[in-house]
Amino acid sequence: MVIIELTDVLFALDSIPAILAITADPFIVFSSNILAILGLRSMYFLISRMLDKFRFINYSLVVILAFVGLKMLFSHLVELPEWLSLAVIALALISGIAASLLIPEKESKEEAEQND
């Protein structure tokens, strides 16, 4: 049980840069980390299942992490509104899901040989 709870805390610490990319309001950062401790493990399993179902979602996650990293690096130079950050994150996720649904998966050589 202790290991599971330590994993939850680790996931919560991992979410601190993500919430700081959206806002610097201390109440929102604190409350989001409390909620992260409560539910981030289940979100991790949801994302791992999404990676199996939507094959382009990993590229969306790369875009989101790059955006968050750049926003944190340049936060003292450029102030982006919260709605823009949320829009970039939503657009990246929607694009990854849409690409996975719309672009057909290529058959591997083994599957093509089995179908012949």
Side-chain angles (χ1 to χ4, degrees), residues 4 22 24 29 44 50 53-54 60 74 77 88 90 105 111 114:
I4 291 172
I22 296 172
V29 172
Y44 170 78
M50 284 180 68
K53 187 173 184 178
F54 303 114
S60 297
F74 298 112
L77 298 175
V88 168
E105 192 170 354
E111 290 174 355
Q114 289 176 353

Side-chain angles (χ1 to χ4, degrees), residues 18-47:
I19 191 64
L20 289 176
I22 296 172
T23 185
D25 183 10
F27 174 73
I28 294 175
V29 172
F30 181 71
S31 60
S32 69
N33 282 319
I34 289 174
L35 292 173
I37 289 172
L38 295 174
L40 211 56
R41 184 175 4 112
S42 59
M43 185 179 289
Y44 170 78
F45 290 114
L46 172 72
I47 290 175

Side-chain angles (χ1 to χ4, degrees), residues 17-19 21-22 47 56-72 85-96:
I19 191 64
I22 296 172
I47 290 175
F56 292 116
I57 201 82
N58 54 347
Y59 298 112
S60 297
L61 296 175
V62 168
V63 169
I64 292 169
L65 289 174
F67 172 74
V68 168
L70 290 172
K71 185 174 177 188
M72 289 176 65
S85 297
L86 291 174
V88 168
I89 292 168
L91 181 66
L93 285 174
I94 291 169
S95 299

Side-chain angles (χ1 to χ4, degrees), residues 107-116:
E107 263 187 59
S108 67
K109 290 181 182 181
E110 292 130 8
E111 290 174 355
E113 289 173 1
Q114 289 176 353
N115 292 336
D116 288 338

